[in-house]
């Protein structure tokens, strides 16, 4: 486990989900499945699918949403990290496209992508925090953005019911008074139980077992490292992959389901975008007091996993 402490303040968050809705009933017409099966096995009722937009468009709209909410001077941003596995170009990176689309022309900006699948947003925050702590960067824009519909085989009922498109963003600045704790890691996966070539492929039950175990160990890792009692945690924002994975984590951690923010019914699994979308929606519904603590926790292909304890 790579456990470490750092600090940053959350300046703003934002998200964007495309207008196009693909419901379970729509999928019933495409593959041999039912709304009842999908709902009971996954908790998903519908997902959003792009029409005419690309990953960098979604990322830019989510970033603009964060910028506008805080009325933030975007020219302060000097670091842009996009977590994605669905970039529309091999090069340049989505972060470079976001920089261009936001019109950020100031010298000294660094922009790059990372691919850590569904844990990508947490890895992105970890890297941004380290780069700001080194003193070189002052304002980071971290985004998780995916157009998974372009990598989904709509003839494969094992995968096509699970995924959707979307993007979430966070602007952070260095602030010594706001502690963050990271617990990030990668477990080698010789059998490739989850991978993407032309399409997403997976061994569902094996991924399920890994995910159920790793949420507990990731969350316990940050709590123990920070000497923090779970009663001090206002909310856990888990990667939205399957409601049953979240329910089993709730049981294993002995934390009620009300402690977990869930929006999987609306969007399905949006990979690196799932945690920042959920965080932004949670913040639209709940007011955070200074000092409130929230844990983000994710897992994905790699096998990557990680948790991040945020202080508001
Ligand atoms: N509709 C109807 N039946 C389906 C189906 C669908 N969309 N998808 C699979 N099935 C069938 C299977 O073919 C299987 O049939 P069989 O018993 O005749 O062979 C049956 O349902 C049970 O399949 P199983 O894989 O055991 O179901 P499950 O309870 O494990 O649920 C997942 C399947 C994919 C929902 C579950 O394993 C899961 O969520 N895994 C994690 C996936 C994930 O989160 N991936 C991304 C991680 S970032």
């Amino acid at each position: 486990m790579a456990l470490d402490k750092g600090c940053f303040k959350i300046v703003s968050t934002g998200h964007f989900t495309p207008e196009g809705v693909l419901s379970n009933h729509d999928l019933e017409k495409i593959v041999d499945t039912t709304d009842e099966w999908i709902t009971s096995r996954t908790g998903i009722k519908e997902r959003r699918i792009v029409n005419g937009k690309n990953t960098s468009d979604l990322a830019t709209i989510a970033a603009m949403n964060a910028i506008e909410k805080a009325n933030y001077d975007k020219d302060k941003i000097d670091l842009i990290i996009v977590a994605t596995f669905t970039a529309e170009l091999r090069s340049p990176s989505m972060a470079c496209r976001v920089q261009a689309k936001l019109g950020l022309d100031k010298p000294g900006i660094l922009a790059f992508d990372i691919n850590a699948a569904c844990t990508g947003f947490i890895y992105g925050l970890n890297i941004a925090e380290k780069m700001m702590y080194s003193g070189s960067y002052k304002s980071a824009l971290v985004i998780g953005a995916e157009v998974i519909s372009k990598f989904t085989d709509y003839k494969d009922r094992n995968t096509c019911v699970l995924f959707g498109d979307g993007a979430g963003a966070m602007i952070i600045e260095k602030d010594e008074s706001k502690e963050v704790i990271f617990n990030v890691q990668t477990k080698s996966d010789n059998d490739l139980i989850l991978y993407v070539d032309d399409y997403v492929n997976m061994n569902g039950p094996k991924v399920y077992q890994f995910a159920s175990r790793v949420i507990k160990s990731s969350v316990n890792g940050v709590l123990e490292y920070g000497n923090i009692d779970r009663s001090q945690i206002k909310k856990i924002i888990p990667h939205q992959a399957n409601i049953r994975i979240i329910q089993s984590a709730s049981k294993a951690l002995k934390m009620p389901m009300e402690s977990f923010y869930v929006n999987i019914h609306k969007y399905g699994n949006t990979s690196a975008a799932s945690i920042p979308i959920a965080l932004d929606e949670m913040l639209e519904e709940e007011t955070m007091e200074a000092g409130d603590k929230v844990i983000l926790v994710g897992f994905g292909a790699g096998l990557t996993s990680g948790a991040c304890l945020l202080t508001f």
Side-chain angles (χ1 to χ4, degrees):
M1 275 197 292
L3 280 155
D4 67 82
K5 284 189 188 183
C7 61
F8 60 69
K9 83 169 167 211
I10 300 163
V11 175
S12 188
T13 57
H15 78 276
F16 175 73
T17 51
E19 297 78 19
V21 173
L22 182 67
S23 70
N24 291 350
H25 293 297
D26 295 329
L27 284 166
E28 284 176 347
K29 295 175 199 139
I30 305 173
V31 280
D32 181 15
T33 191
T34 59
D35 171 50
E36 197 283 326
W37 191 96
I38 303 170
T39 307
S40 62
R41 298 294 180 109
T42 71
I44 302 167
K45 294 298 286 182
E46 57 188 42
R47 64 290 291 141
R48 300 299 181 88
I49 304 293
V50 289
N51 182 5
K53 287 192 177 72
N54 271 321
T55 305
S56 66
D57 300 314
L58 271 55
T60 305
I61 301 170
M64 272 314 293
N65 184 230
I67 289 165
E68 282 166 5
K69 268 193 214 175
N71 199 16
Y72 192 68
D73 174 7
K74 62 185 165 74
D75 284 322
K76 283 166 116 180
I77 295 167
D78 51 12
L79 176 61
I80 305 169
I81 301 176
V82 176
T84 186
F85 75 86
T86 57
E88 75 260 20
L89 297 171
R90 285 176 190 267
S91 184
S93 68
M94 296 296 95
C96 291
R97 297 302 301 135
V98 169
Q99 177 184 1
K101 288 178 185 191
L102 289 177
L104 301 180
D105 290 330
K106 192 182 69 169
I109 297 174
L110 190 68
F112 62 91
D113 288 358
I114 58 162
N115 178 347
C118 308
T119 322
F121 185 74
I122 292 174
Y123 277 40
L125 288 180
N126 192 200
I127 295 164
E129 193 279 329
K130 294 287 155 290
M131 293 181 73
M132 288 195 299
Y133 194 76
S134 74
S136 304
Y137 299 92
K138 298 204 163 33
S139 168
L141 170 61
V142 182
I143 303 170
E146 306 283 11
V147 176
I148 307 177
S149 56
K150 289 191 181 161
F151 296 86
T152 300
D153 178 359
Y154 287 99
K155 289 192 211 73
D156 178 8
R157 68 176 184 175
N158 290 296
T159 53
C160 75
V161 301
L162 301 176
F163 298 98
D165 303 334
M170 187 189 278
I171 300 168
I172 57 177
E173 288 179 356
K174 190 172 163 180
D175 182 336
E176 307 251 336
S177 71
K178 307 285 186 193
E179 182 179 69
V180 289
I181 302 173
F182 286 99
N183 176 11
V184 288
Q185 58 201 305
T186 311
K187 180 181 183 305
S188 64
D189 173 23
N190 287 327
D191 298 331
L192 275 180
I193 63 171
L194 178 56
Y195 69 94
V196 185
D197 45 21
D198 290 342
Y199 298 122
V200 177
N201 301 271
M202 69 175 185
N203 178 328
K206 283 208 169 148
V207 175
Y208 187 98
Q209 278 167 21
F210 164 70
S212 302
R213 274 198 304 267
V214 86
I215 293 186
K216 180 184 175 192
S217 60
S218 300
V219 169
N220 279 339
V222 290
L223 291 174
E224 281 159 24
Y225 193 68
N227 198 18
I228 292 163
D229 188 84
R230 61 201 60 205
S231 62
Q232 293 172 257
I233 302 304
K234 180 117 177 180
K235 213 73 168 183
I236 296 191
I237 316 280
H239 170 45
Q240 310 282 313
N242 186 320
I243 189 71
R244 291 188 293 134
I245 291 175
I246 301 172
Q247 285 162 344
S248 105
S250 150
K251 225 167 157 182
L253 284 162
K254 299 188 176 59
M255 295 175 80
M257 270 305 277
E258 296 73 57
S259 323
F260 292 78
Y261 187 81
V262 174
N263 64 4
I264 190 170
H265 50 290
K266 295 193 286 183
Y267 306 128
N269 181 345
T270 57
S271 193
S274 115
I275 289 173
I277 292 173
L279 176 65
D280 190 43
E281 287 203 336
M282 188 270 285
L283 292 175
E284 284 168 358
E285 291 164 23
E286 277 190 51
T287 311
M288 292 288 139
E289 309 287 339
D292 278 349
K293 294 184 190 313
V294 166
I295 296 178
L296 315 179
V297 59
F299 52 85
L303 297 166
T304 61
S305 61
C308 168
L309 183 143
L310 301 170
T311 306
F312 281 79

